[in-house]
Amino acid sequence: AQSVAQPEDQVNVAEGNPLTVKCTYSVSGNPYLFWYVQYPNRGLQFLLKYITGDNLVKGSYGFEAEFNKSQTSFHLKKPSALVSDSALYFCAVRDIASNTGKLIFGQGTTLQVKP
Amino acid sequence: DTEVTQTPKHLVMGMTNKKSLKCEQHMGHRAMYWYKQKAKKPPELMFVYSYEKLSINESVPSRFSPECPNSSLLNLHLHALQPEDSALYLCASSQDSGPVYNEQFFGPGTRLTVL
C-alpha cells in the first residue's frame, strides 16, 4: 500500500532562517509527489510536484523540494522563512493503483515562523 | 481563470434540512473532486467525477449525494446529516484524473455546521 509520512506535527523557525518540512513516502513503483499549503480557513494551494527528472524541484513562493530516492524522502525547503509562510503543509503521493486521480495525504505539518 | 469557486462559504443546517453545496471551475478541467476535512487533519476524499461520470465513491453515506450537471459544475446534496458531518468541504479539479502529473486545484471550501 502507498503511504506518506510527515514525522513532525509542528516546525518552528525564526524569520529569515532556512526551513525544512519533512516528508517520507512508501510506494510500489515510481512516486509522484506533491506539496500543498493551507492557510487558516482556506483551501489547499498547490506548491510543487515531482514527477520525474531533476531531484530539486522549484515551486511557488520561493519553495523548493528535494527528491531523494534512496531515502524515500521529499522534503520541502525554503532558504529564508517569512512570517507569512506560517500555515499547514501537506505532502501527498498520487495513488497510481487506482488510476482515478486520488491523492494520499500525509497528516500535515504546521509551520510556525516567528518574527 | 485559474480558480475553483465554492458557495456558500458557510452553512448551518439542522439534521432534518436539505441543502446543497456548489462548486464551479472554468479551467476546462475534466476531473472534479469532493473532500471532507476536519480541523488540522488532511482532506479525506469523498467522490471523484471524471468526464461528468462518477468514478470514485469512497464508501460515503447516502446522506451525501453528488451531482455533476456539466463539466464546469459539481454539486453536493446534503440530507439528514449528523453533527459529526460538520467539517470543511473542499472541492477540487484537475485537467484529467488519469495522468499522474496532474495537480489538483482546490476551492476555498464550505464550512458546514450541523446542529
Side-chain angles (χ1 to χ4, degrees), chain B residues 36-93:
Chain B
K36 173 184 177 181
Q37 186 183 27
K38 293 283 196 179
K40 303 282 189 181
K41 296 294 185 182
E44 300 171 28
L45 183 65
M46 300 174 72
F47 303 103
V48 180
Y49 272 83
S50 179
Y51 290 83
E52 299 157 51
K53 292 186 178 179
L54 184 65
S55 60
I56 288 186
N57 176 340
E58 291 282 283
S59 302
V60 179
S62 59
R63 57 185 184 269
F64 295 91
S65 176
E67 178 196 18
C68 190
N70 59 58
S71 60
S72 300
L73 192 57
L74 185 66
N75 297 321
L76 185 63
H77 303 297
L78 314 172
H79 174 55
L81 294 193
Q82 303 297 310
E84 59 264 29
D85 296 323
S86 298
L88 182 67
Y89 287 83
L90 295 166
C91 174
S93 70

Side-chain angles (χ1 to χ4, degrees), chain A residues 70-100:
Chain A
S70 62
Q71 297 185 6
T72 62
S73 66
F74 189 55
H75 299 334
L76 182 70
K77 300 182 179 185
K78 188 174 183 181
S80 178
L82 300 172
V83 173
S84 57
D85 292 329
S86 298
L88 182 57
Y89 290 79
F90 290 104
C91 182
V93 65
R94 173 65 185 266
D95 181 5
I96 57 176
S98 69
N99 196 33
T100 55

Side-chain angles (χ1 to χ4, degrees), chain B residues 7-26:
Chain B
T7 55
K9 290 185 178 179
H10 300 276
L11 178 62
V12 180
M13 59 186 292
M15 288 189 284
T16 59
N17 292 157
K18 286 185 179 180
K19 296 286 184 182
S20 297
L21 309 185
K22 179 180 174 181
C23 172
E24 201 161 4
Q25 57 87 14
H26 294 287

